[in-house]
Amino acid sequence: DTEGLLRIKEENQKHYRRAQRHQEKKEKIQRHNRKLGDLVEKKTYELKTQYEHLAKLRRTHILELTSVIFPIEEVKTSMRDPADVSSESDNAMTSSTVSKLAEARRTTYLSGRWGCDDHNGDTSISITGPWILLPNNGDYSAYYSWVEEKKTTQGPDMEHNNPAHTISAALCYATQLVNTLSLILDVNLPKKLCNRQVKTQLGNHEFCGENLSRHRFTRAVKKLNANILHLCFSQHVNLDLLHPLHTLRNLMYLVSPDTENLGR
């Protein structure tokens, strides 16, 4: 029993010495981890600072781009609310009639169905100048109506102030701006839209090249709207402000100086 007790004591001493060595290794590893943690925290702060600096540079470039080359503005129209006009002409008009007129004014026939548009008739959005406008409700039917009419009409080209030319130019500029913004923000766009007058896999420029059929035109517009929404999502634009059909209005919210996260 005495010999067994001595052996146990020797084994316990070996375990104790081994435990001390393990404790020293543990403390050494903990000191190393603390140093790495401090280094990671320092690098994280430096990276965050660089991101903030990069965001400011991107924001500056975007604001210069949209103020000098691609200004986007909201253009007020002189159209008056029919409810107001009617109420002035008939003082006996009931409130229900006024509300029905206001509701009718916000109702738009778009792509074969009726829809509600709160901004219809109030404003339009211009790009690169007050003369290049897009319908605020996203109704671009004037373009393919003009294309179909041109196919059946013989003679010289239509007048240059035709709404179809304005729609085509505005969408062309919007495509150029979106592609440039994707480069500045380093955000890959989900849909490919060419903005050069060269032959590509998709043909000429979707909007500034040859006259597009209704199917190709609406497909290109949907791709452009998808790219704009993708950029808006990446910059954390308020979702309540966005509408899937409001091409230039969504762009205006994206590049607005009030967008806090622009450049992130």
Side-chain angles (χ1 to χ4, degrees):
D1 292 338
T2 303
E3 292 176 354
L5 180 62
L6 290 175
R7 286 195 303 270
I8 292 174
K9 286 183 177 180
E10 290 178 356
E11 291 179 358
N12 287 341
Q13 290 178 352
K14 291 180 181 179
H15 289 310
Y16 177 75
R17 290 191 296 269
R18 182 179 298 176
Q20 283 185 327
R21 291 195 298 269
H22 286 310
Q23 181 66 25
E24 292 175 356
K25 289 182 179 180
K26 176 184 176 182
E27 293 176 354
K28 183 178 180 180
I29 292 173
Q30 288 177 343
R31 290 194 299 269
H32 181 68
N33 287 340
R34 284 194 295 269
K35 290 181 180 179
L36 288 180
D38 295 339
L39 180 61
V40 169
E41 184 177 357
K42 180 181 177 181
K43 293 295 184 181
T44 302
Y45 177 77
E46 293 177 354
L47 180 62
K48 182 180 178 181
T49 304
Q50 291 296 326
Y51 274 144
E52 293 176 353
H53 178 65
L54 180 59
K56 290 180 180 179
L57 286 178
R58 288 172 171 170
R59 185 183 184 90
T60 301
H61 290 325
I62 290 174
L63 294 180
E64 289 179 352
L65 179 69
T66 54
S67 62
V68 179
I69 303 178
F70 294 102
I72 301 178
E73 298 178 350
E74 189 171 13
V75 180
K76 298 288 184 179
T77 59
S78 59
M79 184 179 296
R80 302 183 61 189
D81 196 316
D84 298 335
V85 177
S86 300
S87 62
E88 291 177 0
S89 61
D90 186 4
N91 294 328
M93 179 177 292
T94 62
S95 59
S96 61
T97 306
V98 174
S99 61
K100 289 180 180 179
L101 285 172
E103 182 181 359
R105 176 177 166 272
R106 292 191 298 267
T107 305
T108 305
Y109 188 74
L110 177 59
S111 298
R113 63 178 182 272
W114 292 96
C116 182
D117 181 19
D118 293 335
H119 301 286
N120 182 30
D122 293 335
T123 60
S124 296
I125 308 298
S126 67
I127 183 171
T128 70
W131 54 89
I132 301 181
L133 305 170
L134 275 186
N136 187 62
N137 58 2
D139 183 8
Y140 306 144
S141 58
Y143 177 86
Y144 39 79
S145 297
W146 169 74
V147 172
E148 294 175 358
E149 182 180 355
K150 187 178 178 182
K151 291 180 180 179
T152 58
T153 303
Q154 299 295 332
D157 195 2
M158 303 292 288
E159 64 276 6
H160 291 289
N161 59 354
N162 189 294
H165 294 291
T166 303
I167 292 175
S168 177
L171 293 175
C172 176
Y173 288 135
T175 303
Q176 293 177 350
L177 176 58
V178 167
N179 288 344
T180 306
L181 289 176
S182 69
L183 295 177
I184 296 177
L185 296 173
D186 194 23
V187 175
N188 293 325
L189 299 176
K191 305 295 182 180
K192 182 178 179 181
L193 278 175
C194 179
N195 61 352
R196 295 176 297 173
Q197 288 284 4
V198 295
K199 289 288 185 178
T200 64
Q201 294 180 354
L202 298 177
N204 284 329
H205 184 284
E206 274 76 1
F207 301 112
C208 288
E210 60 186 16
N211 299 328
L212 301 179
S213 63
R214 177 169 182 168
H215 173 73
R216 290 183 58 192
F217 180 83
T218 54
R219 180 172 176 268
V221 170
K222 289 179 180 179
K223 290 166 64 177
L224 175 59
N225 287 334
N227 287 342
I228 293 174
L229 290 176
H230 182 74
L231 288 177
C232 291
F233 299 154
S234 71
Q235 303 305 299
H236 291 178
V237 178
N238 186 1
L239 299 182
D240 295 334
L241 300 176
L242 302 178
H243 190 284
L245 300 180
H246 296 172
T247 306
L248 289 185
R249 183 172 291 276
N250 293 340
L251 260 181
M252 184 180 67
Y253 289 138
L254 171 65
V255 301
S256 172
D258 299 330
T259 304
E260 298 179 357
N261 295 298
L262 182 60
R264 64 179 295 277

